[in-house]
Structures are given as structure tokens and as C-alpha cells.
């Protein structure tokens, strides 16, 4: 029953929110965010706990203000995402501005293949639509399997309607397909700042240990593709900004594991720069650091 209700609510969002006038959708998102923030549920408390590591000198009032802004940013992501299929190419172009985009376009022009790796900042779906519609570049990504299965199918259909090739995040099949896309000079985009599996690579993140996926670094090593970190943040109500960071190079020496660790740490450092600059746009409402995971197990 809970799974069916969850699927029905998301279905309602996609069908109803995109029909609202934009100002009304924005107000609805802020209202929902403020109600959720006032209730102080697990997600809000976890967001505040995570932000306390990002802004360690923030007192209770500052953290509360950040978490409130963070919930508004998070709901803006959902309101935008529900409406994205109705965006015109012109609307997409004027909604996104990316700094140093030449790193992406020149990398693709070289035929080398490019991996864009992002954290959970602002609206990565909007950034993906901008890539497909404004730059005219198709790309491949992966999606976690969600419960219920019908909700996962909705997400896949939604992202494919935006011009993305979506692979299920399971087993090694996705890795092989991503590698083939890169070897043919294609673009792969991955949200890659959280991996709680045993295969995750340990990194130092805001002074503490967390795990991040090894996939971006391994793909770059195996295919020779260019690995580019990217960060996003919201400007005013009509625009999202972003930055393509300097490439993460494959170290010349070291074992495969050592190279993967070094490259993943470089990604983490780039993410941390973007998150520290725009903490209110970091949508991390789950446990991330190993200390929090161990606390839950005890």
C-alpha cells in the first residue's frame, strides 16, 4: 500500500505541477518546503547535521536558516523537475549558465569521451536537459532502482523523455555499456558523491571520512576518457548556474586502487569547493559520513 501511494503521489506531481503557472508552482514548492522544515522530520534533521560539517562555525540559528533554505532549494528541484518536460529549448537555454563549459565541449570535440561527475547540488536534471537541448549532446547516465518498481519506471521514462539514455544501477552491465559509450567519444554524466556499498572509495570530505563511488575514476582509467567534476547552484528564481572544474588526471604511477583513490579524492575536493560556496543548494538529506553510519549500527 505504501509503495502504491508513493507511486501515485509522484504521478500526481508529474501530471499536475507541470500544468500550474510557474509562479504558482514556485509558491507551492516553498510552502511544502516550509511545512516540512517546521515539522523537523528525519530528513531535515539529517540535512542540518550534514550542513554542520560543511559550515562548522555556524551556530544553531545559522544552521536553522541554512536548513530552511536547503529545503526550499530541494523543493525547487522537484517543482522544476516535474515541469521540465514542458520546457521549450529557449526556456532551457535561458535557465542555465555554466562557467568554463569549453572544458566539456573541447573534450567532446577531441573524440576522447567525457565523464561529467556531479554531487547532489541544485538541479542535475535541468543541467542534463541543458546539455541535450542547448549543446545538442546526448549522454548516458545510470539510475538507482527505486521502490516500487513502477516509480523507477516513471523516473526512467521521465529522464529518457528529456534526451538521456538511462541504465539501471545494478551489477557490472552498466559499467560495460558506459565504457563503450566513452570509447566511441560519447558523454557520460554521473551523480557521484555518495556510495554506501563496500566497493565505495574512502575519501576525506570536510575533514571526515566518507565513501564515494569508484566508477568515474575507473571509467577514466579504462577508457582514457576525460574526467570532469562539475558543481551547480541556484541564482535567482529563473536561473541555475554551474562550473566545469579542471580535469582530474589519471596519476602516472601507482596501482589501480591507488590511482582510483587519488582521483576520487580529487573529485571529492572539487565537490567540497562547490558545496562550501553554496551549502543551501546541497540536497543531502541522508547519512553520508562513516561516523554517522556506524552510529546508526550501534
Amino acid at each position: 500500500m505504501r509503495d502504491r501511494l508513493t507511486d501515485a503521489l509522484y504521478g500526481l506531481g508529474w501530471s499536475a505541477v507541470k500544468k500550474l503557472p510557474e509562479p504558482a508552482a514556485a509558491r507551492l514548492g516553498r510552502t511544502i518546503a516550509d511545512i516540512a522544515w517546521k515539522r523537523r522530520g528525519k530528513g531535515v534533521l539529517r540535512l542540518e547535521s550534514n550542513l554542520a560539517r560543511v559550515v562548522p562555525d555556524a551556530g544553531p540559528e545559522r544552521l536553522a536558516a541554512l536548513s530552511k533554505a536547503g529545503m526550499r532549494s530541494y523543493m525547487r528541484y522537484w517543482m522544476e523537475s516535474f515541469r521540465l518536460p514542458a520546457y521549450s529549448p529557449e526556456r532551457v537555454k535561458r535557465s542555465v549558465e555554466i562557467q568554463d563549459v569549453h572544458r566539456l565541449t573541447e573534450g567532446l570535440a577531441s573524440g576522447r569521451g567525457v565523464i561529467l561527475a556531479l554531487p547532489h547540488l541544485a538541479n542535475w536534471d535541468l543541467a542534463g536537459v541543458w546539455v541535450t537541448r542547448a549543446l545538442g549532446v546526448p549522454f548516458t547516465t545510470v539510475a538507482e532502482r527505486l521502490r516500487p518498481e513502477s516509480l523507477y519506471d516513471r523516473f526512467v521514462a521521465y529522464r529518457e523523455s528529456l534526451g538521456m539514455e538511462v541504465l539501471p544501477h545494478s551489477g557490472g552491465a552498466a559499467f560495460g555499456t558506459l565504457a563503450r559509450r566513452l570509447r566511441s567519444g560519447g558523454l557520460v554524466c554521473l551523480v557521484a558523491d555518495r556510495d554506501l556499498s563496500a566497493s565505495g572509495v574512502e575519501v576525506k570530505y570536510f575533514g571526515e571520512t566518507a565513501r564515494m563511488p569508484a566508477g568515474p575514476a575507473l571509467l577514466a582509467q579504462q577508457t582514457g576518457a576525460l574526467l570532469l567534476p562539475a558543481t551547480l547552484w541556484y541564482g535567482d528564481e529563473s536561473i541555475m548556474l554551474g562550473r566545469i572544474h579542471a580535469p582530474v588526471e589519471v596519476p602516472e604511477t601507482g596501482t589501480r586502487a591507488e590511482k582510483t583513490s587519488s582521483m576520487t579524492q580529487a573529485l571529492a575536493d572539487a565537490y567540497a569547493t562547490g558545496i562550501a560556496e553554496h551549502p543551501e543548494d546541497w540536497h543531502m538529506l541522508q547519512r553520508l559520513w562513516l561516523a554517522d553510519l556506524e552510529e546508526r549500527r550501534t
Side-chain angles (χ1 to χ4, degrees), residues 149-203:
E149 189 73 15
S150 56
L151 179 58
Y152 170 78
D153 292 340
R154 282 185 190 273
F155 269 98
V156 170
Y158 155 69
R159 288 185 168 127
E160 288 180 341
S161 76
L162 301 176
M164 312 174 193
E165 180 187 22
V166 183
L167 307 175
H169 189 278
S170 57
F175 187 93
T177 302
L178 295 174
R180 287 193 293 273
R181 299 292 182 269
L182 292 168
R183 289 194 183 99
S184 65
L187 174 63
V188 164
C189 297
L190 302 170
V191 180
D193 60 342
R194 184 172 183 263
D195 186 347
L196 306 184
S197 72
S199 62
V201 178
E202 290 193 3
V203 296

Side-chain angles (χ1 to χ4, degrees), residues 112-234:
R112 181 179 173 186
V114 175
I115 306 157
L116 266 184
L118 306 87
H120 286 81
L121 271 170
N123 193 334
W124 44 95
D125 284 330
L126 175 57
V129 175
W130 180 81
V131 167
T132 59
R133 295 185 182 174
L135 297 185
V137 178
F139 68 87
T140 305
T141 188
V142 297
E144 285 187 58
R145 287 204 170 274
L146 304 171
R147 290 187 57 192
E149 189 73 15
S150 56
L151 179 58
Y152 170 78
D153 292 340
R154 282 185 190 273
F155 269 98
V156 170
Y158 155 69
R159 288 185 168 127
E160 288 180 341
S161 76
L162 301 176
M164 312 174 193
E165 180 187 22
V166 183
L167 307 175
H169 189 278
S170 57
F175 187 93
T177 302
L178 295 174
R180 287 193 293 273
R181 299 292 182 269
L182 292 168
R183 289 194 183 99
S184 65
L187 174 63
V188 164
C189 297
L190 302 170
V191 180
D193 60 342
R194 184 172 183 263
D195 186 347
L196 306 184
S197 72
S199 62
V201 178
E202 290 193 3
V203 296
K204 285 296 180 183
Y205 208 38
F206 295 100
E208 293 191 44
T209 304
R211 286 198 192 104
M212 292 188 179
L218 290 173
L219 283 167
Q221 292 176 62
Q222 186 164 316
T223 67
L226 188 67
L227 176 55
L228 295 174
T231 54
L232 306 167
W233 65 94
Y234 281 127

Side-chain angles (χ1 to χ4, degrees), residues 97-116:
E97 291 182 9
I98 304 295
Q99 300 171 15
D100 296 319
V101 71
H102 67 91
R103 288 172 169 153
L104 170 60
T105 55
E106 290 172 4
L108 291 169
S110 73
R112 181 179 173 186
V114 175
I115 306 157
L116 266 184

